[in-house]
Amino acid sequence: MDTSTELILIRISGVDRPGLTATITAILAGYDVDILDIGQADIHSTLSLGILFKCSEQDSGNILKELLFKASELGINIRFYPITAEEYEEWVGMQGKNRYILTLLGRKLTATQIASATRVLADQGLNIDAIRRLTGRVPLDERKAQVRACIEFSVRGTPNNREELQTNLMNLSSSLGMDFSFQQDTMYRRMRRLICFDMDSTLIKTEVIDELAERAGVGKQVKEITERAMRGEIDFRESFKERVALLKGLDESVMKDIAVNLPITEGVDRLMYVLKKYGYKIAILSGGFTYFGNYLKEKYGIDYVYANNLEIIDGKLTGRYLGDIVDGKRKAELLQLIAQIENVDIAQTIAVGDGANDLPMLSIAGLGIAFHAKPKVKANARQSISTIGIDGVLYFLGFKDSYLDERANS
């Protein structure tokens, strides 16, 4: 660095007001300084502003004097810190390090949760650069419906042990009742384009085959097989054949009645509206049935539906199915196929599901999210949501409540 120049960091705090940043930078502009870094945060009308600038040695005294007078006039606090060339070069060197985003999500977030999660980051040698709240301000009345809180940490560095970090965050998620996502902050994270959902127990709050079985009088038998399959205790394909066979003789009209009364998962309306508004391609990849997937397709403008077809003859289910079974392996293949059709890199894809047969697509997607998932699924997914509705996916994509209009927030 030229010895005739100085590097100075100023830190300003106080009550925020319109034009404060403009006033401070106008003083610097009068001396034609170079701004090397700038950052600002506002918490409940309290401003924190930092500016690192380079100026000539002969101007530095006058600059600091003008800033002090202006700070006194505005009723704000200002502090000055000289920065050495070595300190600056070290800071520049940090820019090449990996960057990550840690997102914490829950009905509310406590000091214990934040302290525990940030301790995991510190223990891994990671440094927090910035913190921002993605949700609207939390109401004091916690009894209000659909209250949620989300904080996003921008983190720099390379974890000492990425798997250990993931495990520790997962353990905190279970013990402290919060959700998290830890993603590398790359171009692909900011440009997700395709999202694939499981249907049963994900977009809807039931397993449709269980609903059909209840109407057919075989509910207990089918539900038992379903639960074993979703826990990964038995092969999905074999369990599917067994369950469908038990539906033989059920009247086709029952399917329509179930479809119009499907219990939609909390947050689906908001999620679908936002995804469509921002141009995402949306797919349902389900081990359930095409009939119900198509109902959701029409309701939400979903782009693709791949599920299983039940054979119907003379208005009755035959207990057989048509075509290939959509199992876990097929879901992963379909995600890759749709990505190719839409010319989307696999790193730009998202998959959301709850069962063991969703793990293959969760593992290959750029962002795989276990939603209110079975323990085995949650343990093997890198991200999970268990505390709030499915619109929590939006926060893992970086959406902030203030980005969204009134309809999206309803």
Side-chain angles (χ1 to χ4, degrees):
M1 184 176 73
D2 189 339
T3 56
S4 64
T5 62
E6 289 188 54
L7 300 180
I8 300 173
L9 172 65
I10 60 173
R11 290 177 180 162
I12 296 168
S13 61
V15 177
D16 195 13
R17 70 194 72 186
L20 195 153
T21 302
T23 299
I24 297 300
T25 53
I27 292 173
L28 299 177
Y31 293 90
D32 197 28
V33 308
D34 293 334
I35 302 293
L36 302 178
D37 194 17
I38 185 169
Q40 180 174 312
D42 185 277
I43 302 176
H44 288 274
S45 299
T46 299
L47 172 77
S48 177
L49 170 65
I51 302 175
L52 175 63
F53 62 90
K54 181 173 71 172
C55 66
S56 70
E57 195 175 69
Q58 65 183 28
D59 288 336
S60 62
N62 290 329
I63 293 173
L64 300 189
K65 183 166 63 176
E66 281 199 45
L67 288 173
L68 277 170
F69 280 132
K70 184 56 68 174
S72 177
E73 179 185 319
L74 295 173
I76 57 176
N77 299 313
I78 188 166
R79 295 287 184 272
F80 305 100
Y81 304 88
I83 303 296
T84 66
E86 292 75 17
E87 289 172 326
Y88 181 73
E89 291 302 329
E90 182 181 353
W91 175 78
V92 170
M94 288 285 287
Q95 302 308 300
K97 290 197 173 184
N98 292 327
R99 301 188 68 87
Y100 296 89
I101 297 293
L102 171 64
T103 309
L104 299 185
L105 179 62
R107 290 294 180 188
K108 64 177 180 178
L109 291 175
T110 67
T112 298
Q113 291 167 327
I114 294 170
S116 300
T118 52
R119 173 48 55 191
V120 170
L121 298 178
D123 289 345
Q124 290 289 330
L126 299 172
N127 186 63
I128 298 170
D129 278 348
I131 304 173
R132 65 174 187 153
R133 176 173 46 82
L134 299 187
T135 44
R137 289 189 169 90
V138 179
L140 294 177
D141 186 353
E142 296 176 5
R143 296 170 297 178
K144 289 187 176 181
Q146 298 187 13
V147 172
R148 49 187 171 245
C150 181
I151 299 173
E152 182 183 273
F153 300 83
S154 177
V155 180
R156 186 189 299 157
T158 301
N160 299 328
N161 185 322
R162 175 68 188 270
E163 290 306 314
E164 180 183 72
L165 180 148
Q166 190 77 23
T167 299
N168 290 342
L169 287 173
M170 185 65 75
N171 291 338
L172 287 179
S173 173
S174 299
S175 63
L176 297 180
M178 64 181 181
D179 299 320
F180 79 94
S181 168
F182 187 76
Q183 306 173 56
Q184 191 155 12
D185 191 14
T186 65
M187 173 186 70
Y188 294 119
R189 176 188 172 269
R190 296 185 288 274
M191 298 179 66
R192 308 286 192 199
R193 286 292 174 265
L194 168 66
I195 184 164
C196 299
F197 293 97
D198 175 43
M199 180 172 63
D200 296 32
S201 297
T202 299
L203 293 178
I204 58 176
K205 295 187 288 188
T206 188
E207 297 285 330
V208 168
I209 197 165
D210 292 343
E211 300 288 331
L212 292 170
E214 286 294 333
R215 303 293 185 95
V218 291
K220 185 177 180 181
Q221 300 96 301
V222 166
K223 190 168 186 177
E224 188 176 283
I225 298 171
T226 299
E227 290 177 350
R228 290 174 61 206
M230 298 307 282
R231 290 195 300 265
E233 295 173 4
I234 56 174
D235 175 71
F236 177 82
R237 296 175 67 86
E238 186 56 40
S239 72
F240 179 80
K241 294 175 185 177
E242 290 181 19
R243 289 177 289 175
V244 169
L246 290 169
L247 302 179
K248 182 177 179 179
L250 188 64
D251 196 278
E252 181 183 8
S253 63
V254 171
M255 296 176 71
K256 181 178 181 181
D257 183 56
I258 291 173
V260 298
N261 292 292
L262 285 175
I264 304 300
T265 298
E266 176 193 339
V268 167
D269 289 354
R270 180 177 189 243
L271 175 63
M272 291 298 175
Y273 172 76
V274 174
L275 292 175
K276 294 298 291 185
K277 178 179 178 179
Y278 286 93
Y280 285 77
K281 291 295 181 180
I282 307 170
I284 288 177
L285 307 180
S286 174
F289 303 114
T290 304
Y291 185 94
F292 305 98
N294 285 336
Y295 177 82
L296 295 178
K297 179 181 180 180
E298 293 301 315
K299 182 177 177 70
Y300 294 110
I302 290 167
D303 300 286
Y304 298 91
V305 172
Y306 289 96
N308 298 297
N309 288 309
L310 294 172
E311 184 182 62
I312 301 172
I313 297 178
D314 297 330
K316 302 284 186 181
L317 273 64
T318 66
R320 296 186 295 270
Y321 60 91
L322 303 172
D324 294 331
I325 295 175
V326 178
D327 59 2
K329 180 173 179 288
R330 183 60 177 154
K331 286 186 181 188
E333 292 170 350
L334 288 166
L335 186 152
Q336 292 173 304
L337 176 62
I338 298 171
Q340 290 175 5
I341 292 171
E342 294 293 342
N343 197 28
V344 170
D345 191 285
I346 197 70
Q348 295 175 274
T349 65
I350 309 146
V352 185
D354 75 298
N357 64 323
D358 295 313
L359 279 172
M361 73 172 181
L362 297 184
S363 65
I364 68 164
L367 179 65
I369 303 170
F371 177 72
H372 287 260
K374 313 302 182 287
K376 177 182 176 182
V377 181
K378 188 174 178 180
N380 286 277
R382 301 196 77 84
Q383 283 79 216
S384 67
I385 296 176
S386 298
T387 62
I388 71 167
I390 199 167
D391 56 334
V393 168
L394 295 172
Y395 303 119
F396 287 178
L397 300 180
F399 281 98
K400 196 176 183 195
D401 280 352
S402 58
Y403 295 167
L404 312 175
D405 64 22
E406 290 181 5
R407 180 178 169 188
N409 275 306
S410 63

